[in-house]
Amino acid sequence: MKGLLTRAAVSGEELEMIYLDNKGNISQRRIKVLSVYDESFRTYCYVRRQQRTFKTCNILSIGPLRSIRRGA
């Protein structure tokens, strides 16, 4: 997972993440990774429209942003 975060920070790729906060709330977020630390990482969160810091141990799922295809 740390490799994915580091690659996204270098490339500027947006990721989609499902995250469990300290209060037990689950959220789905679209993020751009700014920097990666030992146990956390700094992002720009498009949901909150601000920079946020997340703990890597609280990630439930993370991966490349899925594109939605519409039409026949």
Side-chain angles (χ1 to χ4, degrees):
M1 182 179 340
K2 198 166 192 172
L4 173 68
L5 293 171
T6 304
R7 282 192 306 273
V10 171
S11 70
E13 176 184 16
E14 293 180 13
L15 301 176
E16 192 171 38
M17 172 177 73
I18 300 174
Y19 188 77
L20 177 68
D21 71 13
N22 291 332
K23 295 179 183 177
N25 300 314
I26 297 174
S27 62
Q28 183 172 354
R29 298 167 182 265
R30 184 170 59 103
I31 60 169
K32 180 178 180 180
V33 180
L34 303 175
S35 53
V36 180
Y37 308 108
D38 287 336
E39 296 180 8
S40 64
F41 57 103
R42 187 94 176 136
T43 71
Y44 178 80
C45 176
Y46 291 96
V47 173
R48 299 283 186 224
R49 295 183 180 162
Q50 61 182 318
Q51 289 187 11
R52 308 286 288 211
T53 300
F54 296 101
K55 294 180 182 178
T56 53
C57 63
N58 288 357
I59 296 173
L60 300 177
S61 173
I62 193 164
L65 190 62
R66 291 181 284 159
S67 60
I68 299 172
R69 294 189 178 135
R70 298 178 189 242

